[in-house]
Amino acid sequence: MFSLRTHAIISGALFAAMIIFAIGGNVVTGGRPLKDPTLMLGAKVLIFGLFLAFGFSLIPLMLKIFLAGQIAIGNGEVGIIKTLAAHQTAAVWVIWGLFIAGMALAIPAAINDNFFGPEAAQSFRSLFRGGSKGLLVAQPNMTPEEISQESTLTLNQLKNPSGPGVPIADGVVFDFQIPGSAIVFKGCRYYYMSFFTHDPAHIEAISIGTSPDKMSVEAADAADADLRARLKADGWLAGHEVYKTEEDQQLHGGATRGPEGDMWRKGDTVLNIMRKRMDDPVASEDPAMAGEWIQYVDLWAFQTYPYIERFEFAPPSQ
């Protein structure tokens, strides 16, 4: 333990450093967030570290002030005051220990809730996900036995046997590949396979959670664009809806065809690029940019895709 004056200087210096850093940061950035995620993370860690150091420095300072006040009013020989004065260091460490125990719970929760940014949260969550449990190779029209022969991932149906036609699903980290495609989806989080109604031995549709983690709208847009580019390079055809009737065209502002980019076909497999919001909307948000999202893909057998006659497939225009 230092003197009261020394502890006051330490706390004052840390408080001043926080103020100077905050003002200096606003001057340098013009009050705008840093675009570089690494610099932004470093700035957050620095200011948070200063805040913690300031908070910890207040404990011995407040204890010194309290004891000085008690001694000044004549309570220096009172039992508890005398004991506390004789064991100041131990008292400080007990309180610091409680702080550290609370931080051990609060800081991981703060990281997980994006306090240090989405990149830090994703890295933190990846520590607990573990690595891939294997490669799933599957597409519609296959049987579970055929999928198991092609894959290194053990299907949940084999781990938990069920009757024919019962959907197969699991939430596990794995990689995914479609037979006949060079594209590998790394770090997928779940799969769901359903069977043909008229043929409970063959898979009709598959849903794959392709996002390793939640992401912003901007990141989801980038992930979708990257997947479109990979599908194009892999020889997939882009699909678009055709508005054949006058009524259809009127409903779509006079257009004769819908947009392309989300629906793709290769052989007898139709792939849809999809996304799902993982958090709840708030009243003040910008709907175009708000939320945390995951990307997933749905695979369908071409012959039973709903209203497939309304779609045409061709090499992508872009």
Side-chain angles (χ1 to χ4, degrees), residues 17 27 33 40 44 65 79 106 121 162 164 187 202 220 231 245 255:
V27 171
M40 190 65 178
K44 287 184 176 180
I65 293 174
S162 57
H202 288 81
L231 289 167
T245 66

Coordinates of all heavy atoms in Angstrom, one line a residue, residues 17 27 33 40 44 65 79 106 121 162 164 187 202 220 231 245 255:
A17 N -6.1 10.1 -18.1 CA -5.8 9.3 -19.3 C -7.0 8.9 -20.1 O -7.0 9.0 -21.3 CB -4.9 8.1 -18.9
V27 N -11.0 13.7 -31.8 CA -10.3 14.7 -32.7 C -9.7 14.0 -33.9 O -9.9 14.5 -35.1 CB -9.2 15.4 -32.0 CG1 -8.3 16.3 -32.9 CG2 -9.8 16.3 -30.9
P33 N -16.8 6.3 -36.1 CA -16.1 5.0 -35.7 C -15.0 4.6 -36.7 O -15.0 5.0 -37.8 CB -17.3 4.0 -35.8 CG -18.5 4.8 -35.8 CD -18.2 6.1 -36.4
M40 N -10.2 -0.6 -34.3 CA -11.4 -0.3 -33.4 C -11.3 -1.2 -32.2 O -11.6 -0.8 -31.1 CB -12.7 -0.6 -34.2 CG -13.9 -0.2 -33.5 SD -14.0 1.6 -33.3 CE -15.6 1.8 -32.5
K44 N -11.0 0.0 -28.2 CA -11.9 -0.5 -27.2 C -11.2 -1.2 -26.0 O -11.5 -0.9 -24.9 CB -13.0 -1.4 -27.8 CG -14.0 -0.7 -28.7 CD -15.0 -1.7 -29.2 CE -16.1 -0.9 -30.0 NZ -17.2 -1.9 -30.5
I65 N -8.9 6.9 2.4 CA -9.7 8.1 2.8 C -10.6 7.8 4.0 O -10.7 8.5 4.9 CB -10.5 8.6 1.6 CG1 -9.6 9.2 0.5 CG2 -11.6 9.7 2.0 CD1 -10.3 9.6 -0.8
G79 N -12.0 -1.3 17.5 CA -11.6 -2.6 17.1 C -11.5 -2.8 15.6 O -10.5 -3.2 15.0
A106 N -18.7 -11.4 -16.4 CA -19.2 -10.3 -17.2 C -18.5 -10.1 -18.5 O -19.1 -9.8 -19.5 CB -19.2 -9.0 -16.4
A121 N -16.3 -11.1 -31.1 CA -17.4 -12.0 -30.7 C -17.3 -13.3 -31.4 O -17.4 -14.4 -30.9 CB -18.8 -11.4 -30.8
S162 N -34.2 -44.0 -36.6 CA -35.6 -43.7 -36.6 C -36.2 -44.4 -37.8 O -35.5 -45.0 -38.6 CB -35.8 -42.2 -36.7 OG -35.2 -41.7 -37.9
P164 N -38.4 -45.1 -41.5 CA -38.2 -44.5 -42.8 C -39.1 -43.3 -43.0 O -40.2 -43.2 -42.5 CB -38.7 -45.6 -43.7 CG -39.6 -46.5 -42.8 CD -39.0 -46.4 -41.5
G187 N -17.4 -24.9 -42.0 CA -18.0 -24.5 -40.7 C -19.5 -24.4 -40.6 O -20.0 -23.5 -39.9
H202 N -35.7 -41.8 -50.3 CA -34.8 -40.8 -50.9 C -35.1 -39.4 -50.4 O -36.2 -39.0 -50.1 CB -35.0 -40.8 -52.4 CG -34.5 -42.1 -53.1 ND1 -35.1 -43.3 -53.1 CD2 -33.3 -42.3 -53.7 CE1 -34.4 -44.2 -53.8 NE2 -33.3 -43.6 -54.2
A220 N -23.5 -10.2 -44.4 CA -24.4 -11.2 -45.0 C -24.4 -11.0 -46.5 O -24.4 -11.9 -47.3 CB -25.8 -11.2 -44.4
L231 N -20.6 -20.1 -57.2 CA -21.6 -20.9 -57.9 C -21.4 -20.7 -59.4 O -21.5 -21.6 -60.2 CB -23.0 -20.6 -57.5 CG -23.5 -21.0 -56.1 CD1 -24.7 -20.4 -55.7 CD2 -23.6 -22.6 -56.1
T245 N -48.1 -14.2 -67.7 CA -49.4 -13.6 -68.0 C -49.4 -12.1 -67.8 O -48.6 -11.5 -67.1 CB -50.4 -14.3 -67.0 OG1 -50.1 -13.9 -65.7 CG2 -50.4 -15.8 -67.2
A255 N -42.8 -5.8 -65.3 CA -41.7 -6.6 -65.6 C -42.1 -8.0 -66.2 O -43.2 -8.5 -65.8 CB -40.8 -6.9 -64.4

